[in-house]
Amino acid sequence: MERIGYFFFFQAEDGIRDAQESRGLGDVYKRQAQMSLPPERWAMSLRQFKQLMAGIRSTERYTELKRRHGMVNMYMVCDDFIKPWTAGTGCSIALLMNGEHGLAADAMASHAWGEDNEELEQALDNFYTHLKLDPDQAVWICTLSQYQCKPSLDTDDVGPTIGEQLELDPFTKVIESDGVANGSGLVAIHTTSADLYTRLWCPFEISRAALKKIKLTAAASDSFREAMDADYFYFLKDVAANSDAATAFEMFALKNLTVQTENAQCSFAADEAMIRQHVEQSGGWALLDKIILERRKRFFNDYTRTKASVSSSVQQQLDQSVRESNLRAMKQFESAVPLMGKVLGGVLGALGADEDQGEMDDAFAALEKE
């Protein structure tokens, strides 16, 4: 038996959850517990996340899933562990680990669900390490922060349903909460096992954060970083012959960093219609794709700065390449759609371009009036 968090115990041989009340939880297992707290308090710390995943990985079921599929993604984590362990409690695993007051989020992870859980943990580890964050700071991960109800013939699930939780608009409320807005912001999780930009909720979360001027950040697993390195240095050494880092970077970005969020999918038609309407009313898909591209460029640029293999002269060329790309993007949008150009200029300023913050505020204010 392994103790996880405050009162969860896992049996390694079969993954069955034994729950014991503690910290005076009382009615925490009832339906109203999840819904009585604001969504931003449904978070868990990185330390708790790592403890939880260690408990899951110690089970025979996890070993079998990994043997059969080669990895265990977050859909499997949810279906095979989170749902049976929390069934009938009416509370998410994060809330069960933190008691009746929950834990307020300092960051929100935007992730694909289809990614390898081990890559997800690695990306979060890298993110916390890079920003020198305390592992007790909380992150909101929808798989673990929402109650994943499990209606079945043998389980009297008291809810709430996912639909009932979505009526609270939890993603927007978490993104705009004081802890996230003034903390580490929205972090996009990049892995080699799944592309977060193909899950429509992820572009929606990024669009909401950008519209409300919330900090956009990124995190990547080691394997994702290694794959990016290999591609970039191919373009630098074999195509540009080490002579033009800016051109190499643009080719690399064209191949690896561009996105087409309009092609992303969502399981439920009503959710998809809501998300598409939001994006189209908030500047459109081209703007959203450009915001994501420039944020990813900035992330890669910051990441390569820490690598000894990148010389100072090459790094200067990369910096200049990103600045020039930002300026070209602003000019293109200003000539095509003046308002969108102003919005993009403000967003790019927040992502590291040399633009005035006041312009960003004015641009978004104008967009919201439209």
Side-chain angles (χ1 to χ4, degrees):
M1 302 275 283
E2 180 175 357
R3 189 172 191 270
I4 303 295
Y6 290 105
F7 58 94
F8 261 80
F9 294 80
F10 298 96
Q11 292 179 317
E13 63 271 17
D14 60 9
I16 299 299
R17 184 265 303 164
D18 291 326
Q20 298 181 4
E21 290 187 24
S22 66
R23 302 180 70 200
L25 294 182
D27 289 341
V28 74
Y29 298 113
K30 294 182 180 178
R31 176 188 185 87
Q32 65 267 28
Q34 184 85 19
M35 303 295 277
S36 66
L37 286 176
E40 61 266 25
R41 300 201 68 86
W42 302 351
M44 66 168 56
S45 70
L46 177 66
R47 191 186 307 277
Q48 290 175 324
F49 173 71
K50 292 170 72 68
Q51 290 175 334
L52 173 65
M53 299 315 298
I56 288 173
R57 292 171 196 146
S58 71
T59 65
E60 290 186 3
R61 177 60 177 165
Y62 184 90
T63 301
E64 172 60 22
L65 285 171
K66 189 168 183 178
R67 184 195 65 78
R68 186 186 308 169
H69 301 284
M71 70 168 185
V72 179
N73 65 33
M74 291 303 289
Y75 287 112
M76 299 175 198
V77 167
C78 183
D79 289 341
D80 287 80
F81 301 96
I82 303 303
K83 284 184 178 180
W85 287 348
T86 62
T89 68
C91 292
S92 68
I93 190 76
L95 184 55
L96 289 172
M97 293 178 76
N98 284 292
E100 57 189 333
H101 300 297
L103 189 64
D106 299 297
M108 177 176 172
S110 185
H111 71 111
W113 279 64
E115 73 276 345
D116 185 341
N117 78 93
E118 296 177 27
E119 275 200 90
L120 171 60
E121 181 176 328
Q122 198 173 68
L124 287 171
D125 261 336
N126 290 336
F127 176 71
Y128 272 66
T129 299
H130 179 70
L131 295 182
K132 298 181 173 60
L133 301 178
D134 188 318
D136 288 323
Q137 287 185 252
V139 59
W140 205 93
I141 305 170
C142 58
T143 316
L144 310 175
S145 294
Q146 291 183 286
Y147 176 53
Q148 307 295 339
C149 55
K150 183 180 181 294
S152 65
L153 294 176
D154 60 348
T155 301
D156 183 18
D157 202 318
V158 296
T161 66
I162 293 295
E164 288 170 332
Q165 292 171 82
L166 288 180
E167 288 178 3
L168 298 178
D169 195 10
F171 307 123
T172 298
K173 288 181 178 174
V174 174
I175 290 168
E176 297 179 9
S177 66
D178 288 342
V180 173
N182 298 318
S184 299
L186 180 71
V187 53
I189 304 295
H190 294 77
T191 68
T192 60
S193 45
D195 182 357
L196 77 156
Y197 302 108
T198 63
R199 177 178 174 259
L200 195 57
W201 281 106
C202 295
F204 169 76
E205 291 159 1
I206 294 170
S207 177
R208 287 300 306 176
L211 184 63
K212 295 299 181 179
K213 304 178 284 293
I214 305 300
K215 182 178 181 181
L216 296 173
T217 56
S221 65
D222 289 348
S223 57
F224 183 88
R225 288 179 168 186
E226 290 164 2
M228 295 298 100
D229 282 347
D231 268 8
Y232 170 69
F233 285 107
Y234 163 75
F235 286 117
L236 178 63
K237 296 176 181 178
D238 295 341
V239 179
N242 284 320
S243 62
D244 190 349
T247 298
F249 183 74
E250 288 304 312
M251 289 187 288
F252 160 81
L254 186 63
K255 178 180 183 292
N256 294 285
L257 304 183
T258 57
V259 296
Q260 292 183 309
T261 53
E262 189 172 11
N263 296 333
Q265 300 295 313
C266 184
S267 300
F268 295 96
D271 293 341
E272 179 161 345
M274 178 275 294
I275 293 171
R276 293 191 180 281
Q277 181 181 41
H278 162 78
V279 172
E280 288 159 7
Q281 292 177 347
S282 303
W285 300 99
L287 174 61
L288 179 57
D289 290 350
K290 192 62 181 175
I291 290 170
I292 293 170
L293 172 61
E294 298 308 327
R295 176 60 267 186
R296 298 181 88 188
K297 283 184 178 181
R298 177 60 55 181
F299 170 73
F300 181 81
N301 197 36
D302 291 343
Y303 166 59
T304 57
R305 195 183 303 277
T306 67
K307 296 180 67 64
S309 57
V310 179
S311 67
S312 59
S313 61
V314 169
Q315 188 61 57
Q316 289 172 3
Q317 290 186 61
L318 285 174
D319 289 340
Q320 182 63 25
S321 174
V322 171
R323 285 193 293 270
E324 290 174 354
S325 177
N326 288 349
L327 290 173
R328 285 197 301 273
M330 284 184 281
K331 289 178 180 178
Q332 289 170 359
F333 272 87
E334 284 171 352
S335 62
V337 186
L339 178 59
M340 289 301 99
K342 291 179 181 178
V343 172
L344 184 61
V347 173
L348 294 178
L351 299 184
D354 296 324
E355 295 294 316
D356 183 74
Q357 179 66 34
E359 291 187 16
M360 181 179 179
D361 295 339
D362 294 343
F364 274 110
L367 178 60
E368 288 178 322
K369 287 180 182 178
E370 290 293 306

